[in-house]
Amino acid sequence: MKRKQLVVGNWKMNGSLSDNEALLDGLTRADGLSTLDVAVCVPYIYLAQAQERLGSGSVSWGVQNVSEYDAGAYTGEISVTMLADFQVSYGLVGHSERRSLYAESNELAGIKARKLLGVDITPIVCVGETFEQREAEQTFEIISAQLEAVIEQIGLENLGRIVLAYEPVWAIGTGLTASPAQAQEVHGYIREQVALLDKVAAGAVRILYGGSVKPDNAEKLFRQVDVDGGLIGGASLNLIDFLTICRLAT
Ligand code: 13P
């Protein structure tokens, strides 16, 4: 039996009040989503809009980042307690764009995951290798280090409370996607690593695939035994494409 699938849209720095309204209302009205979990990670400034539009419906909302600090003189930052005020369900941590453009370390991703868990927001921990790392056959090593740093922060007892996302950096926004076999190989590896620490958590943890998932490639990716859904960038901005991908996960 497959785990309950989860499809998460990562809007990145896209959107406007009017575009979002159409997208959020379309998601609220959509049918065929009752057998999976669906969420959208919106820019902070649109959280109130997401909360208002998605309300008590079946689609959840999340964020793309969070501060590692609790409160105080951190100009421009948003804390976990602020997110809790808006009933946020998920928070991305360690996205490759945060790692590469904002120099976020493995350790920082772990600290942010721990902070989110502290207010019962599910961290979606993103891991993945660059093209050069894959070419140099360092994929597993890189992913292990990214995972270990997070587990060190959150503690083994919280392994069952996170979502993992494998996002090969070379597949993000490039139109290149991991083949279903490449995705399964890494997802299987990630699950094995978790199983070494906690067999029950390994059976339950959801591992999403992200990187140029589109309506025409989603089905084969989602069919892999260790792929439990997707983290969708560009295609999540188009209602029809996103809904199609969600339905392919069921
Ligand atoms: P794309 O689907 O646009 O490649 O983005 C993937 C991603 O980074 C989701 O977090």
Side-chain angles (χ1 to χ4, degrees), residues 139-175:
T139 299
F140 294 154
E141 190 185 317
I142 293 293
I143 288 173
S144 285
Q146 291 169 335
L147 272 179
E148 275 167 25
V150 170
I151 295 167
E152 189 173 325
Q153 287 296 326
I154 65 171
L156 277 182
E157 67 281 12
N158 285 315
L159 258 182
R161 297 177 63 204
I162 65 174
V163 169
L164 294 167
Y166 170 53
E167 296 210 304
V169 179
W170 47 272
I172 295 177
T174 58

Side-chain angles (χ1 to χ4, degrees), residues 10 12 95 97 167 171-174 210-214 231-235:
N10 174 9
K12 307 193 179 183
H95 191 280
E97 286 149 20
E167 296 210 304
I172 295 177
T174 58
S212 299
V213 178
K214 307 288 177 206
L231 182 53
I232 319 299

Side-chain angles (χ1 to χ4, degrees), residues 47-62:
L47 266 184
Q49 186 190 22
Q51 184 187 28
E52 183 194 328
R53 293 280 155 186
L54 298 173
S56 53
S58 66
V59 175
S60 310
W61 53 97

